[in-house]
């Protein structure tokens, strides 16, 4: 690759929309290109269900079932998890785009009273909010909480997994919601 000596810029720079060092704005711009599912982390705030939209979550391991979620350290959700060491991760369905937007609003009230299934409608007990129309909910204990930069990384030991009949997931990428396609779950024990 040939470089201009004066500027250090590649002659091929026109091929790249972004070429940057590790700047937060560049990182955010590129991460917006990732298409993924959206979730709401549920906690209890003043003994009422509360939710915050997140996109930074992932499974950690299958044995024991464990997941990871990243939450802005300045939020009340992070404070709730640090205090109670319990949270739910609700994977959202297409029907929940409005709920997703509400729970993403900084400084807004995010109480979920009418969005949560009552305990008597659940097949197993959950100690944290289970959202109506979620494609899955994981009821978790925070087994480890670590501050990294502006966020807390929470490792969740899964206590309960709830998944209703298959629904289409809410996907987000490039700053907007994206259409999904239906998929059939393979029967238990089936191999590819």
């Amino acid at each position: 690759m040939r470089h201009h000596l004066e500027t250090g810029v590649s002659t091929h720079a026109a091929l790249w929309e972004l070429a940057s060092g590790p700047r937060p704005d560049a990182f955010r711009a590129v991460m917006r290109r990732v298409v993924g599912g959206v979730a709401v982390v549920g906690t209890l705030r003043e003994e009422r269900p509360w939710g915050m939209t997140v996109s930074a979550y992932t499974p950690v391991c299958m044995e024991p079932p464990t997941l990871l979620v990243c939450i802005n350290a300045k939020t009340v959700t992070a404070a709730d998890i640090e205090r109670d060491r319990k949270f739910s991760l609700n994977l959202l369905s297409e029907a929940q785009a409005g709920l997703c937007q509400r729970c993403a609003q900084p400084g807004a009230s995010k109480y979920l009273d009418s969005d949560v299934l009552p305990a008597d409608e659940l097949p197993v007990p959950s100690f944290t909010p289970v959202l109506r129309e979620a494609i899955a909910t994981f009821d978790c204990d925070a087994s480890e909480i670590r501050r990294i930069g502006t966020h807390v990384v929470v490792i969740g030991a899964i206590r309960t997994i709830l998944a209703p009949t298959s629904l289409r997931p809410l996907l987000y990428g490039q700053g907007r919601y994206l259409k999904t396609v239906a998929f059939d779950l393979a029967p238990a024990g089936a191999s590819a």
Side-chain angles (χ1 to χ4, degrees):
M1 188 188 288
R2 200 170 139 205
H3 295 273
H4 293 287
L5 295 176
E6 302 83 37
T7 63
V9 176
S10 166
T11 56
H12 299 288
L15 299 175
W16 300 96
E17 183 178 333
L18 182 70
S20 169
R23 295 188 344 254
D25 60 326
F27 183 63
R28 180 178 291 113
V30 172
M31 291 309 295
R32 285 176 56 106
R33 295 178 178 198
V34 175
V35 174
V38 186
V40 165
V41 169
T43 60
L44 294 178
R45 169 145 285 283
E46 301 166 352
E47 300 186 34
R48 291 174 58 198
W50 178 272
M52 183 178 117
T53 300
V54 298
S55 58
Y57 63 89
T58 192
V60 173
C61 63
M62 298 300 133
E63 293 183 29
T66 306
L67 58 80
L68 173 150
V69 64
C70 300
I71 301 168
N72 187 315
K74 294 180 182 178
T75 63
V76 297
T77 303
D80 291 342
I81 293 171
E82 289 175 330
R83 181 193 65 230
D84 297 336
R85 301 196 66 86
K86 295 180 185 338
F87 68 96
S88 61
L89 184 71
N90 294 271
L91 306 181
L92 301 185
S93 71
E94 283 183 334
Q96 295 174 300
L99 173 67
C100 179
Q101 291 171 328
R102 181 166 47 102
C103 290
Q105 303 255 336
S109 174
K110 299 172 187 168
Y111 286 109
L112 301 169
D113 299 307
S114 62
D115 302 295
V116 173
L117 286 165
D120 62 355
E121 291 184 27
L122 299 175
V124 294
S126 177
F127 300 100
T128 55
V130 175
L131 296 178
R132 296 177 191 281
E133 300 182 300
I135 64 171
T137 300
F138 303 95
D139 180 37
C140 301
D141 287 320
S143 59
E144 188 174 339
I145 301 172
R146 180 173 295 189
R147 178 110 186 220
I148 299 178
T150 58
H151 283 61
V152 290
V153 176
V154 182
I155 305 296
I158 298 170
R159 261 194 316 258
T160 303
I161 301 170
L162 294 164
T165 304
S166 183
L167 300 168
R168 290 183 181 199
L170 181 61
L171 297 180
Y172 191 80
Q174 295 289 350
R176 65 185 184 273
Y177 298 112
L178 304 170
K179 295 215 181 266
T180 61
V181 295
F183 61 93
D184 293 324
L185 297 176
S191 60

